Amino acid sequence: MVAAILANAGEEDREKLQAAHTPSEPPTSTFDDLSVAAEPAPRHRTISDLPNELLSAILAYLNTTPPSTSELYEEPNINLTYAETTNLKSCSFVSRRWRQAIIPSLYKHLRFMFKNPDRVFQNFDLAEEVVPLLEFVKRNELHRIITSLTILLADDPFQLHIHYLIRRTGVVKFWQSVFGAMYPLELIIVAPPLILGDLASCRVALQDATDFESPYHYLRLQRDYLAITNSHGASSSKGSEDGVKTELAAEVASDAKGDEAIQALLPTTPVLNKYAMAARPGDPEEEGFEEPRAEASILFEIGEWTTILLNEGSFVKAYSATEFWLKNSPSILPDLLSGPGTPQPPLITSTIREMSYIGIFPMHTHFEYITANFPRLDRIYVQIVPRNLILDDEARVAGVDIEDLWMERNGCYALLMRELFNAPPMGNYQYITNFESGDAADKDGWEMAKEYVKRAGNGWKISRDGLFVREITDPR
């Protein structure tokens, strides 16, 4: 190329070009030469060049709704928290800087699963089992990040023995430890009915347990973050609703962290005896066996909860038994909503204003625990028709008259709607402003409900499919 240029250049230009391409000694650098040296070519920017704030904002888009949000309304199983994608966890493995950036999303919804104890016939202490998790939370100050905690206890062949061990060691220390390290806005428990009862200080009848097929129940407790705003003085005008919840969780958690704060939340030792549930000798599966009940539930009293959800799974198997309507489902409902005629008050606390009940075709005799002992609520949600294909499973409906299922469904709704739409409503029913059915997909049933409400009147209006609302002048 240089030769071609020389052939077409003039004499003077040819001499300059030849001089420029003639090898010579490298010039000696001087200060003046350095002052006019060409700048290096700019390098391409990467995500590593972003400031921490922008990196965190980008990674936050990977933060999706936890699977438990929707799965809570399905038939309970131990895989409630299972997610097909693990983008947050994968990003945390990229580098230390990425892990720091992803932590607010990674530990926002915390899960703890009790492993099946290999030493089941030795000491099994709930409080000791959770120590490693709580130490990790405290060491990394995750109490400012955690907004929800899910506790899972797998079904175990030694469940009855675990039940006795829990009763012996108690749950007071366990819940003290958990809420001393964090103060989540939401708590979800996935456990067999008997163990769920232990954690909630509720007795669970097991006499007819083998007639039912519901190895797990769900219990979700939530606190209203707006109510926390009022009680803790935080502002709800910052950022999105989700961001506000995180801020409030951090503020409340910081208030509740440490031994001094937890002592402020709980009564002193003499009063703690009311939470005790002694392990009484005998077999809870024997007919007529009755164990003592705690005076109060530390789980409900420690949290300032405002919302409760209970999913008791399927009752379908019991319909194959003779006189199925007399069967007692293993459930925390009897102690949770003890009626005025019982020796002890209900364990559900007065702070709870919203309740959701899910069960697959519960008997009306069981559902009556709710309607006959209705707590002081503003909102009630009921779902008793399955969303899955359980009725198409021949093995699960063997020996069951399908008509019985629908008759009991009608019986449950009749008990509730008669009280809700009574003119005037009596007792705690007078405070309900929002009644939602999760079974509006059953068009025939929904049309019947609409006609019933229209005839009853009493201020109720149809807001949308499945939702009835009304205004009351004095909610108290």
Side-chain angles (χ1 to χ4, degrees):
M1 179 180 288
V2 175
I5 295 175
L6 289 173
N8 296 308
E11 184 67 28
E12 184 177 349
D13 293 334
R14 190 180 298 113
E15 291 178 358
K16 291 180 179 180
L17 286 169
Q18 286 177 333
H21 288 82
T22 301
S24 61
E25 294 294 325
T28 303
S29 298
T30 65
F31 180 83
D32 292 336
D33 294 331
L34 292 174
S35 64
V36 297
E39 295 183 0
R43 69 180 182 86
H44 295 292
R45 299 289 182 179
T46 68
I47 194 171
S48 299
D49 297 309
L50 293 177
N52 293 335
E53 295 79 4
L54 284 180
L55 180 61
S56 297
I58 292 172
L59 295 178
Y61 280 96
L62 296 175
N63 187 21
T64 58
T65 303
S68 59
T69 301
S70 59
E71 294 299 319
L72 279 170
Y73 297 85
E74 304 293 341
E75 187 171 5
N77 64 80
I78 196 63
N79 297 316
L80 175 68
T81 57
Y82 172 77
E84 294 183 357
T85 58
T86 57
N87 293 330
L88 293 174
K89 188 179 294 184
S90 298
C91 286
S92 71
F93 294 145
V94 172
S95 67
R96 182 174 298 177
R97 181 169 178 250
W98 276 45
R99 181 172 177 81
Q100 287 299 116
I102 205 73
I103 276 180
S105 297
L106 186 63
Y107 293 104
K108 188 174 184 179
H109 304 288
L110 193 64
R111 177 186 72 172
F112 179 74
M113 176 178 285
F114 284 92
K115 297 180 180 179
N116 291 334
D118 297 328
R119 58 191 188 286
V120 69
F121 290 109
Q122 301 177 22
N123 293 330
F124 175 75
D125 191 328
L126 285 173
E128 293 299 323
E129 294 291 323
V130 81
V131 164
L133 172 68
L134 301 184
E135 288 180 345
F136 176 78
V137 168
K138 292 178 180 179
R139 186 167 60 251
N140 294 278
E141 297 187 345
L142 298 180
H143 66 283
R144 300 184 177 276
I145 296 170
I146 298 167
T147 60
S148 72
L149 170 65
T150 300
I151 297 175
L152 304 100
L153 292 95
D155 193 13
D156 190 276
F158 300 108
Q159 179 186 146
L160 198 58
H161 188 72
I162 296 174
H163 158 73
Y164 285 126
L165 290 174
I166 293 176
R167 288 297 179 87
R168 189 182 69 189
T169 58
V171 295
V172 173
K173 182 181 177 183
F174 171 72
W175 290 123
Q176 280 182 309
S177 301
V178 170
F179 286 96
M182 67 187 88
Y183 206 55
L185 297 176
E186 177 183 75
L187 172 68
I188 299 174
I189 301 175
V190 182
L194 181 63
I195 306 303
L196 177 61
D198 292 333
L199 295 177
S201 302
C202 294
R203 296 169 300 179
V204 174
L206 295 181
Q207 289 88 343
D208 300 324
T210 55
D211 292 315
F212 292 83
E213 185 184 25
S214 184
Y216 295 101
H217 286 183
Y218 294 156
L219 177 67
R220 181 185 69 185
L221 297 169
Q222 294 175 307
R223 68 186 94 253
D224 186 345
Y225 67 94
L226 293 178
I228 296 176
T229 305
N230 297 331
S231 62
H232 291 268
S235 171
S236 61
S237 62
K238 302 175 183 178
S240 65
E241 178 179 300
D242 199 49
V244 173
K245 289 183 180 180
T246 303
E247 289 182 17
L248 292 172
E251 177 173 345
V252 177
S254 62
D255 290 344
K257 186 187 179 188
D259 293 337
E260 294 181 1
I262 202 63
Q263 288 303 320
L265 284 172
L266 291 173
T268 53
T269 302
V271 186
L272 285 177
N273 292 330
K274 71 176 183 177
Y275 300 121
M277 294 182 68
R280 179 175 175 175
D283 187 353
E285 296 182 343
E286 291 182 0
E287 187 175 354
F289 175 81
E290 185 174 351
E291 56 187 334
R293 200 202 81 168
E295 296 179 26
S297 171
I298 185 174
L299 170 60
F300 287 100
E301 293 196 352
I302 197 175
E304 299 177 305
W305 309 112
T306 58
T307 302
I308 182 173
L309 177 147
L310 177 63
N311 186 336
E312 297 193 301
S314 173
F315 292 70
V316 171
K317 180 185 176 183
Y319 283 82
S320 63
T322 305
E323 297 183 331
F324 60 82
W325 57 89
L326 298 179
K327 298 296 182 181
N328 288 318
S329 168
S331 171
I332 67 172
L333 274 180
D335 278 353
L336 187 66
L337 304 176
S338 298
T342 55
Q344 293 98 354
L347 294 180
I348 190 173
T349 51
S350 59
T351 58
I352 292 178
R353 287 291 184 263
E354 182 173 347
M355 180 176 181
S356 297
Y357 177 79
I358 299 99
I360 298 179
F361 294 116
M363 292 79 172
H364 78 277
T365 50
H366 180 76
F367 191 74
E368 199 169 8
Y369 281 121
I370 298 176
T371 58
N373 308 301
F374 202 74
R376 166 62 176 91
L377 301 172
D378 297 327
R379 302 176 182 87
I380 179 80
Y381 173 93
V382 173
Q383 177 188 313
I384 55 181
V385 176
R387 294 184 175 183
N388 57 15
L389 301 177
I390 184 174
L391 298 184
D392 296 331
D393 189 332
E394 295 182 0
R396 300 193 65 181
V397 297
V400 175
D401 185 344
I402 302 300
E403 288 298 320
D404 289 339
L405 302 178
W406 296 109
M407 288 180 62
E408 290 296 314
R409 185 279 308 262
N410 295 340
C412 291
Y413 273 114
L415 288 171
L416 181 60
M417 296 182 69
R418 182 171 62 242
E419 298 291 346
L420 279 176
F421 303 115
N422 190 23
M426 306 299 290
N428 287 331
Y429 287 98
Q430 63 185 303
Y431 305 115
I432 290 289
T433 60
N434 186 307
F435 164 50
E436 184 174 0
S437 169
D439 302 322
D442 177 8
K443 295 301 181 183
D444 292 338
W446 171 240
E447 290 300 324
M448 291 174 59
K450 287 199 300 183
E451 290 301 318
Y452 183 91
V453 172
K454 288 178 181 178
R455 291 196 303 268
N458 203 20
W460 286 96
K461 298 179 181 179
I462 300 170
S463 177
R464 56 173 171 79
D465 282 0
L467 178 61
F468 300 101
V469 297
R470 69 167 178 165
E471 294 182 3
I472 56 177
T473 55
D474 184 18
R476 280 184 290 177

